[in-house]
């Protein structure tokens, strides 16, 4: 089977399509971006530059800029195309369009993102660094968890020591610039976003982490970029700010990852029915009052599940054969009982995560789509949540004879990668045993 992260497309091994999305940015800024994009240096090949304008009130100005750049460079090897639509395909549209890029790589730019003549080369140098392949960009966000005493960080200038980290830093998602392999967009389209209004940056990082086990990095993409005229407006204001906070917190339940910070949940419990959760809560209610002794169970009275710690439930979320509303309600009761709520570190908006719904069609509440989650879809979703949460224990209900019991499977947090591989191995064994 071919490695999807190394799919060969048209052009050279270092071929890259540059996509610049414009809406209300300055036409002069677009002219500067284009002149830098079509004159890239080094071993980078840029056969295509696409300027996308979706329902922009300034579309005629942008088209005039593209025409003038073409006229000023009649022998240009790069094809510069203006892609216009009266319908606003919004932020996700440019990434979906990128699925058809004929090059191996894509560099995606907002209309206020700086670029110089070495940006594509730096992009490819970063993305092919052994041990840290992933999405790269010039402006990123790292939120982390408030319970660990961490602080919000943003590449390159907010709470990041550039002397210690001069060239790159792992981020949770990028804004303004994105550099990645075109083939990775197959997975951007695999799972439907919660909304089309915003959050394409988070969705890209979610997709590559969940399905390709790749991270997102802020990196040095420009050194001598010409300054751009001020944009004069921002798209992320008002209700979109809270919407993005909601998106960040709840994409965690679909296999996203909090970068650089250990999450705060001690135990994950996989359940098929709300009764499993109620049974676990009853066991917890029978435990001695007070907190467990430091270092784990010190006596028989503190045996599992009394030392379970902060516990969140995870379930398939299939409306075909599960009562999802009852599962969610029971999961919230368990989280309240064990004080498991977690949320992202940023701003006054908090949408705590109390449980994890694995349904593949997360976000389709109003659409008539099948809600059954297949075993093939369940496994990568569960592995993604395990990678994100990294609990000390994974618990699930198991059939023994005619009775259901709660069985614990403990995994050392430092060795959690082996636990993820165990999920995949178990799925393979199940397929052959069936």
């Amino acid at each position: 089977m071919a490695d999807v992260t190394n799919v060969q497309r048209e052009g050279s091994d270092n071929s890259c399509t540059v996509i610049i999305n414009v809406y209300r940015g300055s036409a002069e800024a677009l002219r500067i971006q284009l002149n830098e994009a079509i004159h890239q240096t080094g071993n980078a090949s840029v056969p295509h530059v696409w300027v996308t304008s979706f329902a922009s009130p300034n579309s005629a100005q942008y088209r005039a800029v593209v025409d003038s750049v073409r006229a000023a460079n009649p022998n240009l090897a790069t094809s510069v195309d203006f892609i216009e639509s009266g319908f606003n395909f919004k932020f996700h549209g440019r990434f979906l369009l990128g699925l058809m890029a004929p090059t191996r790589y894509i560099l995606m730019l907002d209309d206020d993102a700086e670029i110089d003549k070495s940006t594509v080369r730096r992009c490819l140098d970063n993305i092919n660094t052994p041990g840290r392949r992933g999405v790269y960009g010039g402006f990123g966000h790292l939120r982390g968890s408030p319970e660990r005493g961490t602080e919000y960080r943003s590449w390159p200038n907010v709470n990041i020591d550039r002397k210690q980290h001069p060239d790159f830093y792992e981020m949770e998602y990028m804004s303004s610039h994105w550099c990645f392999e075109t083939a990775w967009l197959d997975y951007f389209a695999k799972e439907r976003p919660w909304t089309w209004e915003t959050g394409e940056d988070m969705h890209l990082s979610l997709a590559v982490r969940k399905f390709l086990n790749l991270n997102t990095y802020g990196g040095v993409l420009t050194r001598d970029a010409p300054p751009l005229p001020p944009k004069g407006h921002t798209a992320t204001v008002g209700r979109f700010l809270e919407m993005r906070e909601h998106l960040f917190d709840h994409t965690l339940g679909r296999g996203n990852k909090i970068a650089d910070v250990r999450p705060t949940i001690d135990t994950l419990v996989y359940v098929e029915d709300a009764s499993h959760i109620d049974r676990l809560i009853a066991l917890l209610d029978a435990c001695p009052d007070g907190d467990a002794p430091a270092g784990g169970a010190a006596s028989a009275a503190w045996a599992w599940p009394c030392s379970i710690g902060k516990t969140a439930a995870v379930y398939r979320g299939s409306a075909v054969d599960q009562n999802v509303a009852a599962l969610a309600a029971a999961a919230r009761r368990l989280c309240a009982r064990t004080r498991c709520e977690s949320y992202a570190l940023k701003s006054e908006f908090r949408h705590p995560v109390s449980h994890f719904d694995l349904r593949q069609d997360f976000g389709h509440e109003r659409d008539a789509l099948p809600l059954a989650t297949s075993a093939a879809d369940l496994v990568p979703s569960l592995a993604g949540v395990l990678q994100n949460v990294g609990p000390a224990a994974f618990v699930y209900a198991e059939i023994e004879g005619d009775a259901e019991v709660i069985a614990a499977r403990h995994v050392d947090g430092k060795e959690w990668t082996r636990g993820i591989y165990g999920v995949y191995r178990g799925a393979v064994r199940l397929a052959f045993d069936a």
Side-chain angles (χ1 to χ4, degrees):
M1 180 181 292
D3 181 357
V4 73
T5 63
N6 288 285
V7 170
Q8 295 293 324
R9 301 196 176 220
E10 292 178 26
S12 71
D13 196 50
N14 288 326
S15 62
C16 180
T17 296
V18 177
I19 301 177
I20 305 172
N21 192 67
V22 291
Y23 187 69
R24 287 187 177 175
S26 161
E28 180 59 24
L30 176 60
R31 185 186 305 278
I32 294 171
Q33 289 175 310
L34 283 176
N35 281 323
E36 297 298 308
I38 63 177
H39 293 115
Q40 291 295 299
T41 60
N43 62 349
S45 166
V46 182
H48 300 279
V49 175
W50 295 349
V51 178
T52 59
S53 175
F54 301 141
S56 168
N58 302 330
S59 199
Q61 298 177 41
Y62 301 141
R63 177 179 288 278
V65 169
V66 171
D67 290 342
S68 68
V69 169
R70 287 194 195 121
N73 299 272
N75 299 316
L76 188 65
T78 299
S79 172
V80 181
D81 295 288
F82 185 68
I83 302 169
E84 182 179 9
S85 169
F87 179 79
N88 192 351
F89 290 98
K90 292 188 175 286
F91 308 104
H92 294 78
R94 52 186 166 169
F95 287 92
L96 297 173
L97 183 68
L99 279 164
M100 299 187 69
T103 54
R104 180 175 179 179
Y105 299 98
I106 289 175
L107 173 64
M108 191 89 63
L109 302 174
D110 280 348
D111 54 11
D112 59 350
E114 292 186 346
I115 177 175
D116 62 24
K117 294 179 176 62
S118 65
T119 295
V120 173
R121 175 178 60 80
R122 294 181 188 282
C123 163
L124 302 191
D125 287 346
N126 276 310
I127 202 172
N128 289 307
T129 301
R132 54 180 175 91
R133 282 170 50 74
V135 175
Y136 276 81
F139 182 66
H141 305 271
L142 183 65
R143 299 187 177 196
S145 166
E147 297 190 32
R148 299 299 187 191
T150 58
E151 56 190 359
Y152 170 75
R153 284 154 286 173
S154 178
W155 176 270
N157 298 320
V158 179
N159 295 325
I160 293 177
D161 184 354
R162 290 297 299 278
K163 292 182 179 179
Q164 183 179 0
H165 305 279
D167 298 321
F168 74 97
Y169 201 96
E170 185 179 349
M171 296 277 103
E172 278 149 358
Y173 60 93
M174 304 306 301
S175 298
S176 298
H177 302 75
W178 298 267
C179 176
F180 51 88
E181 288 202 20
T182 306
W184 299 351
L185 287 178
D186 294 351
Y187 294 86
F188 181 88
K190 180 175 174 62
E191 188 166 300
R192 184 183 176 93
W194 180 75
T195 178
W196 298 113
E197 295 290 327
T198 185
E200 80 293 352
D201 44 2
M202 299 178 193
H203 190 73
L204 177 64
S205 292
L206 159 70
V208 299
R209 284 178 183 135
K210 179 172 179 177
F211 298 111
L212 299 176
N213 198 28
L214 296 173
N215 291 322
T216 299
Y217 301 92
V220 178
L221 297 187
T222 61
R223 295 282 190 189
D224 303 301
L228 301 180
K231 189 172 181 177
H233 82 284
T234 179
T236 309
V237 295
R239 68 184 181 89
F240 292 104
L241 287 173
E242 182 162 3
M243 188 181 292
R244 287 178 63 81
E245 298 303 314
H246 187 282
L247 271 173
F248 181 80
D249 287 335
H250 287 270
T251 52
L252 295 178
R254 294 153 63 208
N256 201 0
K257 169 184 168 182
I258 296 179
D260 197 40
V261 176
R262 291 301 299 168
T264 59
I265 295 172
D266 300 309
T267 302
L268 271 179
V269 53
Y270 177 83
V271 295
E272 286 285 334
D273 188 84
S275 64
H276 298 159
I277 300 177
D278 291 334
R279 191 172 306 173
L280 179 56
I281 293 174
L283 291 173
L284 292 172
D285 289 342
C287 293
D289 292 336
D291 296 328
S299 68
W302 279 108
W304 189 92
C306 298
S307 57
I308 198 170
K310 298 182 177 183
T311 303
V314 56
Y315 51 86
R316 284 186 293 122
S318 170
V320 173
D321 63 333
Q322 290 184 314
N323 186 334
V324 179
L327 274 165
R332 286 191 289 270
R333 291 196 296 272
L334 175 64
C335 186
R337 176 65 175 76
T338 64
R339 300 187 296 275
C340 85
E341 280 191 349
S342 59
Y343 48 85
L345 173 69
K346 195 185 177 203
S347 86
E348 69 276 17
F349 303 119
R350 289 180 178 177
H351 299 275
V353 175
S354 59
H355 54 93
F356 298 90
D357 188 333
L358 297 180
R359 69 187 187 275
Q360 191 69 24
D361 55 328
F362 186 95
H364 284 272
E365 286 108 347
R366 293 179 301 276
D367 296 335
L369 295 176
L371 294 179
T373 300
S374 70
D377 290 332
L378 176 70
V379 170
S381 296
L382 178 58
V385 171
L386 293 176
Q387 176 173 274
N388 169 40
V389 176
F394 179 54
V395 183
Y396 57 90
E398 187 171 54
I399 302 296
E400 289 189 359
D402 295 328
E404 285 182 308
V405 299
I406 301 293
R409 295 293 181 266
H410 294 270
V411 179
D412 184 344
K414 295 180 181 178
E415 300 291 334
W416 188 247
T417 299
R418 288 194 341 202
I420 295 174
Y421 292 149
V423 172
Y424 289 114
R425 287 198 302 270
V428 172
R429 287 199 301 267
L430 174 64
F432 277 92
D433 290 342

